[in-house]
Amino acid sequence: MPRQNRKMMKEYLDKAEDKGRNGDAYLAHMTGGELVLPKEFASDPQIRALIDAKFKSQGISTDRYVVGHKENSINPETGQPEFFKLKKFVGTIVGGTIGALVGGPAGAVTGAKIGATVDATRAISDAQSQARDQAAQAQAAAMQQAQLARDAASGEAQRSRDAAAEQAKLSRAQQAESLAQQSKLTQDQIDAQRAGAASSLEQARLTAAQQAEMLRNLTAQQTASADAAKAQLYQQQKQYEEQKFAMEKQAKDQAAALDAERRKIAQRESAQMTARRRAGKRSLLSSARMNPELGIPSGVDETQMKTMLGA
């Protein structure tokens, strides 16, 4: 919450706190079902002794739950005291307190026992609920990890596709640039030819027939230049397709070579392991020959001994 909003809330709550009646001077965050003992009951020595003893047995100070005490927990958003629900022994405290009010010390003991039974049942239920929550959290964590793995794989695939698309885009851009340069060169040639033709016509003052013939020749040259440019463009596109096919084939060949190399390594490691096992068995067989203490009967030939040793 922003600091300005928190300040406005505190001012509002302070004004609301001043509206308390009959001595009430505190606002607090409470849990539904909590039992608030009036000050007169809480001051009773027998009730207070029972409550203090129960809080002490749980390692908790009673002052934490006394309204207005400095050990009260303070809500960081509103600045008001807060009293959390005591799940572990609220039944014992409430039962003992009510028993004391009704039947004195003996009633307090009976009420506390009844409350303790309620607390034990509630503790079992809380443990089961906690186990279910933990299982749900573990399942959610596993699903999250799986989703992260899927997202990582998808991201890697997308990056590969983007890289391939960028490479293709660069190739197309290079082709377009080359075509533009060729077109510009052809146009410059055409412009130069036209300028030369015009100059020749002006200088020689050719006849109309000669001019028509020259124009036809110029048109044929232009057409030939355009056809040459188209042929060159077709040749470039064909070269690009061939290069693309060669690159894809090279990538497949490299992948196949890597797979073959991995298989060779695996086969070599397997052969080495087999050789080491056989070498170990032969060593054991030699030791058996040299050490009669191994318990191998005399007169056993080499084939039987290999059978006995599992060679």
Side-chain angles (χ1 to χ4, degrees):
M1 178 184 296
R3 183 176 298 179
Q4 184 66 24
N5 294 348
R6 192 176 300 166
K7 181 179 179 182
M8 294 175 59
M9 177 183 288
K10 187 177 185 309
E11 293 176 355
Y12 176 81
L13 293 176
D14 288 342
K15 291 180 181 179
E17 196 172 54
D18 294 337
K19 301 297 182 180
R21 301 184 305 164
N22 299 324
D24 288 344
Y26 289 90
L27 293 177
H29 296 277
M30 306 293 291
T31 302
E34 287 184 342
L35 176 63
V36 179
L37 292 178
K39 185 176 181 180
E40 293 77 11
F41 291 172
S43 300
D44 184 279
Q46 293 181 346
I47 297 176
R48 184 57 184 266
L50 177 63
I51 293 175
D52 288 344
K54 194 60 184 179
F55 271 94
K56 185 176 181 181
S57 68
Q58 298 295 322
I60 303 174
S61 173
T62 310
D63 294 336
R64 157 72 176 80
Y65 298 93
V66 176
V67 177
H69 198 278
K70 64 181 181 179
E71 293 189 12
N72 288 162
S73 175
I74 303 300
N75 186 285
E77 295 292 332
T78 65
Q80 304 302 315
E82 54 189 4
F83 303 92
F84 301 129
K85 185 176 181 181
L86 300 176
K87 295 183 178 180
K88 291 185 177 179
F89 57 93
V90 65
T92 306
I93 293 177
V94 173
T97 302
I98 294 175
L101 294 176
V102 175
V109 174
T110 302
K113 290 181 179 179
I114 296 173
T117 302
V118 174
D119 288 338
T121 304
R122 182 176 298 160
I124 294 173
S125 176
D126 291 343
Q128 294 174 347
S129 177
Q130 184 178 6
R132 288 193 297 271
D133 293 342
Q134 290 176 350
Q137 292 174 0
Q139 183 179 7
M143 294 177 63
Q144 184 178 9
Q145 290 294 331
Q147 184 62 39
L148 290 174
R150 288 194 295 270
D151 292 343
S154 176
E156 185 64 26
Q158 184 62 41
R159 285 191 290 272
S160 298
R161 289 193 295 271
D162 293 342
E166 185 65 22
Q167 185 64 32
K169 182 179 179 181
L170 289 175
S171 298
R172 289 195 298 272
Q174 291 174 353
Q175 289 182 354
E177 183 179 359
S178 177
L179 179 60
Q181 292 175 354
Q182 184 64 33
S183 298
K184 184 177 184 302
L185 180 61
T186 303
Q187 185 63 43
D188 292 341
Q189 292 175 349
I190 293 173
D191 293 340
Q193 290 174 358
R194 287 177 177 175
S199 177
S200 298
L201 288 173
E202 181 64 26
Q203 292 175 0
R205 297 181 180 180
L206 300 174
T207 62
Q210 293 173 329
Q211 292 178 359
E213 182 66 21
M214 184 172 290
L215 287 175
R216 284 194 295 271
N217 293 336
L218 180 60
T219 302
Q221 291 176 357
Q222 292 176 351
T223 302
S225 298
D227 292 340
K230 290 180 180 179
Q232 185 174 5
L233 175 60
Y234 172 77
Q235 186 65 27
Q236 290 177 350
Q237 290 178 342
K238 184 177 180 181
Q239 291 177 355
Y240 168 72
E241 293 296 333
E242 291 175 352
Q243 291 175 356
K244 179 180 177 183
F245 176 78
M247 290 175 64
E248 291 177 349
K249 184 177 183 302
Q250 183 179 4
K252 291 180 180 179
D253 292 342
Q254 290 177 351
L258 289 175
D259 289 339
E261 183 64 23
R262 283 194 291 267
R263 287 194 295 271
K264 289 180 180 179
I265 292 173
Q267 291 173 356
R268 186 166 53 251
E269 291 179 351
S270 176
Q272 290 174 354
M273 291 178 64
T274 301
R276 285 195 293 269
R277 285 199 302 271
R278 290 177 177 175
K281 291 177 181 179
R282 286 196 295 269
S283 176
L284 181 59
L285 182 61
S286 298
S287 299
R289 292 196 190 100
M290 298 177 65
N291 299 298
E293 291 81 359
L294 293 176
I296 298 176
S298 61
V300 178
D301 59 19
E302 184 176 352
T303 302
Q304 293 175 339
M305 188 174 297
K306 288 183 177 180
T307 303
M308 293 174 62
L309 294 177

